[in-house]
Amino acid sequence: MVLEEADTGPGVAVLLPGAEHLSGDAEDAVFHTSVILATIDNTAGWCIRDHPDYAEGTSMATLDLRVDFVTPARLSETLRVRAVCEGFDGDIAFVRATAQTLKTKVLIATGQATFMLGTPDMPNLATPANALGGPVD
Amino acid sequence: MIKLAQAGRSAPSVALAQEQLNKMPYAAFLGVSLRVGPDGLETLTPDRADLIGNTNLPALHGGVVGSLLDITGMLTLVFLKALDRSPRLVDMDIDYLRSGQALPTHGRAEIVRAGRRMANVRARLWQDDPERPIAIGRLQFLFPKS
């Protein structure tokens, strides 16, 4: 998968070309659902790093991720996964993502993820203007 | 506590689960294997540097964790319902509970309810301690058309 640097759309977009080892069923030649899920997870993380309030070096952990697999995608396709950070308060970030075929723009999957920013070893470095009050704990 | 549904009338089939795994190139790419003991099917994924998403911690990649829940859920369904074709994953919901360490990962799943067309499956992953899951998942599968 590659980050689509020339992309002008909202959030961050990643291109995922089909390949044999990404197959879910050798007989059907479709993307394994897990591959789409993993790419959504990764792109969601990248889109938080791209957020204006994100402080470089802050670690993050996925709290949860929900994916709807709308249509199976053929391996002959390239998928575009786009993730948009819809909320960011310094501790938690909310992301929505979609996967669609690059040329025909068929919706393949939608995803929704929540991330926690900062871990005990790597504290949260963000100081966003819209953060709610002082320390949580 | 959820009272788990019986696995159904069909006899579990290790052969079909293994066959399903063999024709899943992405599972081979991750290095997933399966074994069946008295407690049912279990998946095992080795500790491998290229499955680590955060090299500073280090922590297993969230996408890999989700993938292992998906694969574990599907193989368990194929095993328990003796399916000869892949069920289709319709949606899944993952809760990440702990960061995955650089350790082998075990997976187990159970059918919460299987109807005529759909199955609701719950999957969990752990590493050193079965009582300390690193992630759980709820998966909805559509059975293949017969």
Side-chain angles (χ1 to χ4, degrees), chain B residues 55-85:
Chain B
T55 48
N56 293 325
L57 293 176
L60 205 56
H61 191 284
V64 172
V65 170
S67 298
L68 297 180
L69 287 169
D70 176 354
I71 292 166
T72 302
M74 176 186 275
L75 291 176
T76 302
L77 190 58
V78 167
F79 167 66
L80 290 175
K81 303 298 282 183
L83 303 178
D84 57 4
R85 281 183 299 144

Side-chain angles (χ1 to χ4, degrees), chain B residues 26-50:
Chain B
Y26 183 60
F29 176 69
L30 296 174
V32 179
S33 62
L34 70 80
R35 65 175 180 210
V36 174
D39 297 332
L41 184 145
E42 191 176 306
T43 61
L44 184 64
T45 309
D47 166 31
R48 234 172 52 192
D50 62 344

Side-chain angles (χ1 to χ4, degrees), chain A residues 16-39 69 72-77 79, chain B residues 19-32 67 70-71 74-75 86-87:
Chain A
L16 178 68
E20 203 277 332
H21 70 283
L22 305 180
S23 163
D25 187 327
E27 291 161 15
D28 288 349
V30 293
F31 277 89
H32 195 293
T33 44
S34 295
V35 174
I36 300 168
L37 178 145
T39 309
F69 298 98
R74 294 190 181 284
L75 285 174
S76 54
E77 305 271 4
L79 303 187
Chain B
E19 197 179 299
Q20 180 72 44
L21 179 60
N22 293 347
K23 64 173 188 175
M24 216 190 286
Y26 183 60
F29 176 69
L30 296 174
V32 179
S67 298
D70 176 354
I71 292 166
M74 176 186 275
L75 291 176
S86 335

Side-chain angles (χ1 to χ4, degrees), chain A residues 5-107:
Chain A
E5 293 190 30
D7 174 63
T8 55
V12 164
V14 158
L15 296 181
L16 178 68
E20 203 277 332
H21 70 283
L22 305 180
S23 163
D25 187 327
E27 291 161 15
D28 288 349
V30 293
F31 277 89
H32 195 293
T33 44
S34 295
V35 174
I36 300 168
L37 178 145
T39 309
I40 285 179
D41 180 85
N42 213 71
T43 312
W46 283 355
C47 97
I48 293 170
R49 291 197 160 86
D50 192 50
H51 193 280
D53 289 340
Y54 174 80
E56 200 55 50
T58 303
S59 66
M60 63 177 84
T62 321
L63 290 179
D64 61 56
L65 169 63
R66 146 98 190 202
V67 180
D68 290 341
F69 298 98
V70 180
T71 318
R74 294 190 181 284
L75 285 174
S76 54
E77 305 271 4
T78 290
L79 303 187
R80 177 188 270 138
V81 175
R82 179 181 299 286
V84 179
C85 180
E86 298 203 317
F88 186 105
D89 80 347
D91 290 313
I92 304 286
F94 302 89
V95 176
R96 277 176 196 274
T98 55
Q100 33 173 239
T101 54
L102 182 61
K103 286 182 188 150
T104 49
K105 298 198 166 33
V106 174
L107 183 65

